[in-house]
Amino acid sequence: MIVVLTGAGISAESGVPTFRDAGGLWEGHAVADVATPEAFAANPDLVQSFYDTRRRLLADVEPNPAHYALAQLEAAYDDGLVIVTQNIDDLHERAGSQSVVHMHGQLRSALCTSCGQQSPWDGDLAPHPPCPVCGRHTLRPDVVWFGEVPYDMEYIQHALLMCDEFVSIGTSGAVYPAAGFVSFAGATGARTLEINLERSEGSDNFGESRRGPAGMLVPEWVDEVLARR
Ligand code: OAD
């Protein structure tokens, strides 16, 4: 089985901005000002508008060759492929991938802080719409903020234990627990490969590191995997 971890770099060529390339700013905001529960408590309208804007921008972007190559690999590879993404966009799904775990949540989902239910969501949350399940006006973006526990960690750990190959694509290796997955998988004997535009904080932990744009290197790697079957 192969586990692929993706980060903002895989969506960069689709036009989705990464986090750390713009000097730690995300669309002009410090990550801590929009991606923490404290920021949401202090300034809910700013945080809602910020994610509303990003949700609307999904309509303007398309999957790129890296997303499509992973979907092609999943369809053709019999030994199992799990994509664990830190991204909150839906580009893996739109490229055709089915086995996608969104460990940091999703823009196209809303979480009710009253009833705890997640609801598919494509509109804005800033106007405080009612929760479709309980009717209270307490929806927030269904994204995992700093200080919160990522989704599906038990499933992810099991996949990392079982995999023969772990591949990290377009992530800076700066945010845990995702940054620790390579060591976890490597300790159980999995082959480890990093594909990233440049050297990352985690590069030394990988058995192999390839530098370049994901849109070029991921299709190349997928061809290699399919050729060696
Ligand atoms: P980052 O912005 O930290 O890192 C993106 C990485 O992708 C960098 O190492 C870039 O060099 C690389 N990159 C950029 N363009 C690329 C391309 N075309 N091809 C390949 N690589 C490219 O994004 P993440 O590592 O995803 O969490 O950030 C991890 C988490 O930190 C995010 O999920 C988010 C953020 O704060 C939360 O919001 C909880």
Side-chain angles (χ1 to χ4, degrees):
M1 183 176 70
I2 300 175
V3 174
V4 173
L5 172 70
T6 64
I10 197 169
S11 296
E13 289 158 76
S14 294
V16 181
T18 61
F19 297 90
R20 288 173 185 77
D21 293 342
L25 293 183
W26 192 18
E27 306 269 289
H29 297 279
V31 172
D33 289 344
V34 288
T36 62
E38 293 77 15
F40 185 57
N43 200 342
D45 289 344
L46 169 79
V47 174
Q48 295 283 27
S49 309
F50 174 79
Y51 286 97
D52 284 349
T53 302
R54 290 187 71 85
R55 192 178 303 104
R56 282 194 225 133
L57 287 175
L58 288 181
D60 300 334
V61 297
E62 297 287 340
N64 67 56
H67 298 103
Y68 285 116
L70 291 178
Q72 181 203 352
L73 180 61
E74 181 182 5
Y77 191 72
D78 300 330
D79 291 343
L81 172 78
V82 174
I83 298 173
V84 179
T85 187
Q86 300 166 87
N87 298 341
I88 56 178
D89 64 51
D90 61 349
L91 294 178
H92 285 303
E93 287 86 351
R94 278 159 59 191
S97 288
Q98 302 197 348
S99 187
V100 185
V101 179
H102 281 271
M103 64 178 290
H104 289 169
Q106 304 188 59
L107 279 169
R108 296 183 65 196
S109 176
L111 174 67
C112 180
T113 58
S114 299
C115 70
Q117 294 296 309
Q118 296 163 303
S119 301
W121 204 265
D122 280 323
D124 286 350
L125 289 173
H128 305 290
C131 169
V133 180
C134 73
R136 297 186 67 181
H137 295 257
T138 48
L139 294 172
R140 57 164 270 187
D142 190 9
V143 299
V144 175
W145 287 322
F146 285 96
E148 298 181 325
V149 181
Y151 287 134
D152 299 316
M153 283 307 296
E154 225 171 287
Y155 177 84
I156 294 168
Q157 274 171 0
H158 181 70
L160 290 170
L161 272 175
M162 302 300 293
C163 72
D164 317 296
E165 185 160 358
F166 172 77
V167 183
S168 168
I169 302 168
T171 176
S172 59
V175 175
Y176 282 81
F181 291 172
V182 57
S183 305
F184 197 81
T188 66
R191 182 175 170 215
T192 56
L193 167 67
E194 174 186 59
I195 295 175
N196 208 54
L197 194 57
E198 57 199 9
R199 190 180 161 72
S200 78
E201 288 183 33
S203 292
D204 288 341
N205 300 322
F206 288 84
E208 186 187 349
S209 209
R210 300 183 187 179
R211 311 264 155 81
M216 185 179 83
L217 294 189
V218 175
E220 279 176 16
W221 169 71
V222 166
D223 285 347
E224 277 171 36
V225 174
L226 294 178
R228 72 174 183 237
R229 284 158 71 227

